[in-house]
């Protein structure tokens, strides 16, 4: 969940008329919402990285359109779409801290059960990497209004 500081800062920036706020630091995905006419993406998660929990490997991309109203100078944000993603890496669980990983971010729509079964975090210290778990986290955090589900 976003912290009180994140919420206060988003509220403040929205009150100034900022069109979009995109957060990245929390290392996990956080909600997408509207404050007034400001699109707020509290956190996309990690685009790439090797933190050792599944939730730190779950990330997302956001797409949207800037639309200029016909006959006006007004610009608005429309067609907001959160694209669920996962960071994949494989290796030896017995040497997990010493391994050099090859990381790749996948759209969940392109990720497979075969890849999920090979993910080094699957089973490591109780982590679960499965399509059901990954999409469950996305659905829990990201409002259905924004979530791309294929």
């Amino acid at each position: 969940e976003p912290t009180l500081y994140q919420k206060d800062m988003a509220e403040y920036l929205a009150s100034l008329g900022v069109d979009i706020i995109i957060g990245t630091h929390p290392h996990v995905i956080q909600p997408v919402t509207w404050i007034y006419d400001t699109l707020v993406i509290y956190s996309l998660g990690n685009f790439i990285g090797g933190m050792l929990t599944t939730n730190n490997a779950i990330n997302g991309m956001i797409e949207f359109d800037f639309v200029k109203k016909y006959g006006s100078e007004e610009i608005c944000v429309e067609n907001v779409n959160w694209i669920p993603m996962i960071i994949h890496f494989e290796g030896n669980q017995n040497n997990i801290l010493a391994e050099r990983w090859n990381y790749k971010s996948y759209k969940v729509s392109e990720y497979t059960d075969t890849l999920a079964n090979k993910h080094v975090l699957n089973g490591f210290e109780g982590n679960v990497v499965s399509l059901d778990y990954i999409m469950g986290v996305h659905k829990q955090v990201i409002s259905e209004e924004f979530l791309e589900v294929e």
Side-chain angles (χ1 to χ4, degrees):
E1 289 294 319
T3 65
L4 182 58
Y5 176 78
Q6 287 173 281
K7 291 177 181 179
D8 287 348
M9 186 57 67
E11 179 78 25
Y12 173 69
L13 292 170
S15 75
L16 296 176
V18 170
D19 293 308
I20 299 171
I21 300 167
I22 302 175
T24 59
H25 183 74
H27 300 289
V28 292
I29 62 172
Q30 290 182 328
V32 176
T33 192
W34 294 100
I35 299 177
Y36 313 122
D37 292 329
T38 301
L39 177 63
V40 179
I41 303 107
Y42 281 104
S43 177
L44 297 169
N46 296 317
F47 186 72
I48 205 74
M51 298 178 88
L52 299 179
T53 70
T54 305
N55 286 356
N56 293 126
I58 293 171
N59 59 353
M61 288 194 301
I62 195 88
E63 62 184 9
F64 46 82
D65 296 325
F66 287 107
V67 178
K68 185 174 180 182
K69 301 271 182 168
Y70 182 75
S72 167
E73 293 300 311
E74 183 182 352
I75 296 174
C76 61
V77 177
E78 295 181 358
N79 305 316
V80 179
N81 189 35
W82 174 275
I83 302 163
M85 297 189 69
I86 181 75
I87 303 166
H88 181 80
F89 49 107
E90 299 176 22
N92 180 350
Q93 283 188 353
N94 296 324
N95 201 18
I96 200 164
L97 296 176
E99 284 281 331
R100 291 183 183 252
W101 309 106
N102 290 316
Y103 303 98
K104 182 174 180 181
S105 277
Y106 285 88
K107 291 180 180 180
V108 173
S109 62
E110 298 170 355
Y111 202 59
T112 65
D113 287 322
T114 301
L115 282 169
N117 289 334
K118 292 180 185 177
H119 199 294
V120 73
L121 293 179
N122 205 5
F124 177 74
E125 294 186 353
N127 282 283
V128 174
V129 180
S130 70
L131 290 172
D132 286 342
Y133 181 83
I134 295 164
M135 279 310 297
V137 171
H138 282 283
K139 288 176 180 178
Q140 179 182 356
V141 175
I142 306 301
S143 168
E144 191 175 290
E145 172 186 0
F146 306 108
L147 186 59
E148 172 187 278
V149 179
E150 295 182 5

